[in-house]
Each structure stands twice: as structure tokens, then as C-alpha cells.
Amino acid sequence: MRRTATLLGLAALPVAVLGVFFVLPVVGMVGRGFWPDGTFDPGAVAEVLTRPRVHRVLWFTVWTASVATALSVALGLPAAYVLHRLRFPGRGLVRGLLLVPFVLPTVVVGVAFRQLLRDGGPLGVLGLDGTPAGIVTALVFFNVAVVIRTVGATWEGLDHRPAEAAASLGAGPATVFRTVTLPALRPAIVSAASVVFLFCATAFGVVLTLGGSRYASVETEIYLLTTDLLDLPAAAALSVLQLVVVVGLLVVAGRARRTPDATTARSTAPAQPVRRRDLPQLAVTAALLAAVATPVVALVVGSLRTGGPGGGGWTLEHYRALSGRGGTPGDPTLVVPVLDALVTSLRVAVDATWMALLLGGLVAVVVTRRSRGRAERRLRGVLDGFFMLPLGVSAVTLGFGFLITLDSPPLDLRSSPLLVPLAQALVALPLVVRTLVPVLAGLDDRQRQAAASLGAGPLRVFATVDLPAAWRPVLAAAGFAFAVSLGEFGATSFLVRDEAPTMPVVIFRLIGHPGVGDYGAALAASVVLAATTAVVMLAVERLRVPALGAW
């Protein structure tokens, strides 16, 4: 009874926060779809789903997410092998660089690909600007790191003896991979593919920047219906549909994670020196690194050129323009200077980080303590699934839910400075939890029991047993939360005020206005934001605990 009370006590704060700031907005959004005029009318949802444009949006979302997922897995597997099983100079740096795209602000990714693919851009001759192929390429750029990290962490912890035994019996490398390695990696591959499909299907900034209204996904269609067409019932109906599909995907990913996984053990197979037969995988990894670097280089070069993309000379005028508000002196594009938006982004990211760490730390402690009895185990399982729910709801849906439910007493939070950090903390929460849980779950519970038997209280047990092993992952989780918050655009675009915008919102507004000055300022702002995120992620890579968890 005392253990159950302690468990519920630790879970009380995260449950209350998720109840008010996640469940309530989502329920409000669902209610707006099924009760459009205050009365129950499921036909309104059905009517939205019969619209031809909705069919086109659904099909576009499904096929682009499917193709991007397949390409991400195909490119990510060789890179995961090279970066987690081979030993060569600079491996950590390459691993960190390939992780950066995943945490780059989605708007920055969209701007970088526009700069790369537009007429006059380095790859403008390919004619991919504003096409589905360009969107799919950007989605792969953004998500291949998920496959590398998820599968690589498992690959790094695989017992190498079965593969060696098969090889000693005469099996070739391809046979060993097909019969021994691939079955062991299958849960991690399925889990990674599920998450990548989820991220692609709910991509917002990338699709909105590159596709506009011509190529809309469900996520961007919800945004356009809400902000441009003011069709809230239709937006709510699409949000309900998206919620059902995403939760189904999460169930698949969750079942894949339940299978035996090498990442739950504290073992790391020694990295091998590079051999001749590894050259194909090395070539794919090198090509992937070049493909990842190309849009970023195009973005940086574009920010240093005058006269628009591809023209003029070198200059810093776009960076000097960050102290202004864009547009013309008499008709500025922004209400505040761009640099003020950067300060706002940093301040909001700090607030979102400590919120996500506080909630995620409590959640990780709750779900990783050894259960004594079936009821306690079930309770922890329910709590674990509940705390992962934010991963199953898109940021746009969350921001939309905030907008329609937290606007009247006693929860009138529209003017609260904590509203945006709270939304961003909820977006980052699953990543924080999944960073901490493998570490805390890997600790031998007998160490805690021994400390407790010597008279140490729960806090001292945590300080002397858990904290020494978890401080590096805690810092890494803080870096992830900070980077995710810094680039969050989906929920923030609904909630942010004009006088206090964040950098991603400012970048999107700048590229939405004609004129070389605004576009150049958007490129410079994107470079600043990307550089800040990259520094954070390289620091996170230094804090990584090998073979523990996907991240």
C-alpha cells in the first residue's frame, strides 16, 4: 500500500499537467468535431471526410510518408552499421552531424531546401522546387537520423558471438546478416520505421514551407482550415482522424519495443576496424553525409550573398538586417526585431526545458521502479502509455486544442507567458522520457535495496544510486528538450503573440513576404537558429551513453 501511495504521489504532478494541458485540449478538439453546434452530430465529421480535397490530402499524406519511411530505413541501416559497429577516426563527429537534421527547426529545413531547389539554386536544374519529390527528400533528410540512432543503439549492443558462430560454420556475410543479425534487429527496425512514418505523416513546417496550399498533408490542412478558412469543425474532424491513425501507429511501435531488446542491457560490442567488405556501407554513409550537408551549405552561402539567390557578391547585410523588423521602414514585416525573437526563443526554450525535465524525470522514475505484484505492474504500464500520449498527437492539434479550450475562466491562459513553454514542453516530453528510461531501467534494483537496507531514504537512494548513473543522460535529455523547443513551430504558430514571436515563426513570416531583403533575413535567421541547435546537439552526442536507449 505504501509503495502504491508513493507511486501515485510521484505521478500526481505529471498526471495533473497532462490532464489539464493535454487531455483537456485534445478532448475539446474532439468535441468541436462531433458537437459542432453544441449538439452531437457525427455526420459533420463524416461530411468532411467525403470532400474530394480531403481525399487528396489523405492520399498525399500516406504515400509521401510511406516513401520517405522506406528511403529513410534503406539509407539509415548502412549508416547505423558504420557509425555503431565500425571504428574509425571522427566517428563521433560524423554521428553528431547526422543527428543534427532531426532537431533542426522544421521551418529551417524547409527554407534550406527551398534555397537549394529553387530556380537559380545549386540544384535548381532538377526542377524539384515545390514538387512532391522535393518534399519527400526533405522528409528523408529530417528523419534518417531516427533510424540511425534507434537501430544503431540496438546494433551496438548485439551479442556478436552468434554471428561469429554462423561465420565459423561457413556462412557468408550476407547469410549471417539475413539469418542472424536482421532477426535480432527487426524490433528496432520496426520501431524506427513506425516512428519515422509517424513523424512524416505529421510533418508540418517542412510540408508547409515547400508545399504551400498546393501539396498539403493532414497536418498543414488543419493549419490552413484553422487560420485561413476559419473552418474549425473541418479542422477538428481531420484532427480526430489523425489522432486515431497516430494512436494506432503508437500501439504498433509500443509492441515492437516490448520484444527483447539489446539496448536494455549494459553491454557494448567492441567496434571493429574497417575491412574491405565494409566499403559499400561506408560509401552510403559518406553519400548520406554529403546529402545532409548540401542543403545546410546552400543555406549558409545564400545568407552571405546579395542580389537574391545565386546572384551578387558576398555580404553580411542579411545578418545586419536581423536587428531590424524586415520589410521597408514605413511598412515593416514584423512587429519586433528579429534579434528580439531570438531572445524570446532562448527564454522560452529554457522554460520548456526545465518543465520537460521535471515532468520527464518524475515519469522515468515512476515507470522504471521494479513492480511488486500484478496490480502495480499494470498501473505502471498504464502510466507509461499515458505519458507517451503527446507523441501520438501532432503539435498542430495540440496548439489548436490550446486555442479553443484555454480561453475562458478558470483556464483563461491566452495571455500567460507560460502557455508557449508548456506546449513546447509537452512536445519534448516523450523524447526526455525515452532518453532517461533505458538508463534508469538498466540499473540493478538490488543496489537501491541495499542502500535502503542501510537506512537511506528514497531521496538519498536516488542521489547515491540513480543520479551518478543518470547525470549524463539527464544533461542529454535537457539538450534534446532545449533543441526541440528552440525549433518548435506547429503548436507555437497557434499560440505565440505578434509582439513576442519565436524565431521559427519569424522565419516563416519573412519568407512569406516578397522581397530580397526579407528572404535574405530569413536565410540569416535560419543559419543562426541552425547553428545554435547544432552546437546543442554536438554537446548531446558527447554525453551519449553507448548501447543505452535509442537516443
Side-chain angles (χ1 to χ4, degrees):
M1 181 62 72
R2 184 180 175 184
R3 285 177 56 85
T4 303
T6 303
L7 173 66
L8 293 176
L10 289 173
L13 178 61
V15 168
V17 171
L18 258 69
V20 174
F21 297 104
F22 177 75
V23 175
L24 183 61
V26 172
V27 169
M29 175 270 298
V30 173
R32 188 62 66 96
F34 284 96
W35 284 267
D37 298 317
T39 56
F40 183 63
D41 184 13
V45 173
E47 187 277 330
V48 171
L49 299 181
T50 60
R51 297 178 183 175
R53 177 173 171 83
V54 171
H55 293 168
R56 291 196 300 273
V57 168
L58 288 175
W59 171 239
F60 181 80
T61 304
V62 170
W63 83 257
T64 54
S66 300
V67 173
T69 301
L71 291 175
S72 297
V73 172
L75 295 172
L77 281 180
Y81 169 77
V82 168
L83 297 176
H84 291 269
R85 292 291 286 184
L86 298 183
R87 183 177 66 248
F88 58 90
R91 184 180 66 158
L93 177 62
V94 175
R95 200 157 49 193
L97 291 175
L98 287 178
L99 174 62
V100 167
F102 177 66
V103 291
L104 277 182
T106 55
V107 172
V108 172
V109 174
V111 171
F113 272 81
R114 279 189 65 179
Q115 177 65 16
L116 181 70
L117 301 176
R118 64 183 299 168
D119 291 340
L123 298 181
V125 295
L126 298 178
L128 297 178
D129 186 26
T131 66
I135 295 173
V136 169
T137 305
L139 291 175
V140 174
F141 168 91
F142 193 71
N143 289 291
V144 70
V146 177
V147 179
I148 295 174
R149 302 289 292 206
T150 304
V151 179
T154 301
W155 214 328
E156 200 171 45
L158 281 184
D159 186 351
H160 57 93
R161 288 173 295 185
E164 292 176 352
S168 67
L169 294 174
T175 303
V176 171
F177 178 79
R178 181 172 51 81
T179 59
V180 178
T181 306
L182 190 58
L185 292 177
R186 185 174 295 124
I189 295 173
V190 173
S191 179
S194 304
V195 173
V196 169
F197 185 88
L198 179 69
F199 287 157
C200 292
T202 59
F204 177 59
V206 170
V207 180
L208 187 64
T209 306
L210 295 176
S213 59
R214 182 181 181 189
Y215 295 109
S217 65
V218 171
E219 191 86 346
T220 59
E221 187 71 2
I222 293 171
Y223 177 81
L224 295 173
L225 287 169
T226 306
T227 58
D228 289 358
L229 304 178
L230 302 180
D231 191 350
L232 297 186
L238 283 180
S239 297
V240 171
L241 175 66
Q242 186 187 49
L243 181 63
V244 172
V245 173
V246 167
V247 168
L249 281 172
L250 281 179
V251 171
V252 173
R255 288 184 175 178
R257 275 201 305 270
R258 289 194 193 107
T259 57
D261 190 338
T263 63
T264 58
R266 275 181 175 276
S267 63
T268 304
Q272 306 166 351
V274 176
R275 297 155 295 184
R276 182 182 296 272
R277 70 186 187 191
D278 298 323
L279 291 180
Q281 293 89 333
L282 284 168
V284 172
T285 305
L288 190 59
L289 185 62
V292 165
T294 301
V296 178
V297 172
L299 180 66
V300 174
V301 172
S303 71
L304 295 170
R305 303 287 289 182
T306 60
W314 298 98
T315 183
L316 291 175
E317 71 174 83
H318 300 317
Y319 289 90
R320 287 193 287 269
L322 297 182
S323 61
R325 294 188 289 165
T328 60
D331 184 22
T333 304
L334 306 171
V335 176
V336 299
V338 179
L339 288 181
D340 286 9
L342 177 60
V343 174
T344 300
S345 284
L346 294 173
R347 187 175 63 247
V348 169
V350 170
D351 287 339
T353 299
W354 70 258
M355 291 177 186
L357 272 185
L358 175 63
L359 297 175
L362 288 172
V363 171
V365 170
V366 167
V367 301
T368 55
R369 289 298 183 270
R370 177 170 293 182
S371 301
R372 297 178 182 176
R374 191 172 179 180
E376 189 176 329
R377 188 163 51 251
R378 280 187 175 180
L379 179 58
R380 291 185 193 278
V382 169
L383 291 173
D384 189 19
F386 178 69
F387 294 132
M388 285 297 101
L389 281 179
L391 188 63
V393 176
S394 73
V396 168
T397 298
L398 185 63
F400 182 31
F402 269 51
L403 199 65
I404 63 176
T405 58
L406 303 179
D407 62 342
S408 57
L411 289 173
D412 188 358
L413 302 176
R414 286 173 300 179
S415 59
S416 172
L418 296 180
L419 193 60
V420 174
L422 265 171
Q424 296 184 353
L426 289 177
V427 173
L429 180 63
L431 202 54
V432 172
V433 173
R434 285 303 161 212
T435 302
L436 298 180
V437 163
V439 179
L440 297 181
L443 287 175
D444 190 341
D445 200 52
R446 288 173 295 185
Q447 297 179 42
R448 301 187 184 102
Q449 295 172 5
S453 68
L454 294 174
L459 287 178
R460 188 166 183 181
V461 169
F462 179 79
T464 57
V465 177
D466 295 81
L467 201 55
W471 71 269
R472 286 165 63 95
V474 167
L475 290 178
F480 274 125
F482 187 83
V484 168
S485 172
L486 206 56
E488 209 289 318
F489 178 61
T492 306
S493 61
F494 281 91
L495 305 173
V496 75
R497 291 172 294 167
D498 288 342
E499 64 272 21
T502 60
M503 279 289 272
V505 174
V506 162
I507 293 169
F508 184 71
R509 288 175 182 172
L510 285 174
I511 63 173
H513 285 74
V516 175
D518 278 0
Y519 187 78
L523 295 180
S526 298
V527 171
V528 171
L529 196 55
T532 306
T533 307
V535 169
V536 173
M537 293 320 303
L538 290 176
V540 167
E541 174 59 28
R542 299 282 297 175
L543 296 167
R544 197 179 73 91
V545 180
L548 274 181
W551 298 95

